[in-house]
Amino acid sequence: MITIYKKEATVYMVAENKLDAKDYENLIPVLTEHINAYQEVFWYIEMQNFEGWTVSAYWKVIELNLPNEKHLKRVALVGSVKWQEQFTEVLLPFSEAHIKFYKTEEKDDAKEWIK
């Protein structure tokens, strides 16, 4: 399940439990709208009790195919498990955005960096 809210040019997302393709179907229009509305967009993703993705959702997250993706400047991923940090490295070749991982106890730093 994901919860999404926006503040100015930043999209905040909290991912909980296991994400499926429907979660990404809900996320993509929000990101697309924001990317089209702002020249520079920032995305904060916090993973709470995160168990991963279904197979279909995993490929959707790697292949976001967002229009005007060059407007996406920074992505902060906040999590507590080593594989979440490693997933950040997997995303790097698929985006021009600067992507950075933060541990859960560093989420205030992540929010500051994303501003």
Side-chain angles (χ1 to χ4, degrees):
M1 178 178 99
I2 59 173
T3 304
I4 305 167
Y5 64 97
K6 303 176 280 188
K7 182 178 178 187
E8 298 164 356
T10 304
V11 175
Y12 294 88
M13 180 179 111
V14 177
E16 297 179 84
N17 304 317
K18 194 168 213 161
L19 301 185
D20 59 24
K22 183 105 174 123
D23 290 313
Y24 287 95
E25 290 169 12
N26 293 331
L27 171 65
I28 298 304
V30 173
L31 274 178
T32 299
E33 174 189 320
H34 227 62
I35 286 171
N36 287 330
Y38 292 92
Q39 286 295 334
E40 292 189 339
V41 174
F42 309 96
W43 187 11
Y44 172 90
I45 305 166
E46 186 174 328
M47 297 172 272
Q48 297 178 351
N49 300 317
F50 190 64
E51 299 169 7
W53 304 263
T54 62
V55 173
S56 61
Y58 181 79
W59 289 111
K60 285 187 180 289
V61 75
I62 288 177
E63 300 173 345
L64 283 176
N65 293 327
L66 297 169
N68 297 319
E69 187 177 343
K70 65 181 184 256
H71 293 196
L72 185 60
K73 298 300 180 184
R74 290 189 202 157
V75 179
L77 272 75
V78 178
S80 60
V81 183
K82 184 67 177 172
W83 69 263
Q84 293 170 346
E85 182 176 2
Q86 292 167 339
F87 182 71
T88 304
E89 296 169 15
V90 170
L91 288 177
L92 290 174
F94 295 97
S95 177
E96 294 180 29
H98 187 118
I99 302 171
K100 194 169 179 180
F101 180 83
Y102 291 86
K103 295 179 181 171
T104 302
E105 60 269 16
E106 301 170 322
K107 72 179 177 180
D108 289 338
D109 294 336
K111 288 178 181 177
E112 188 63 35
W113 179 76
I114 212 72
K115 291 181 186 176

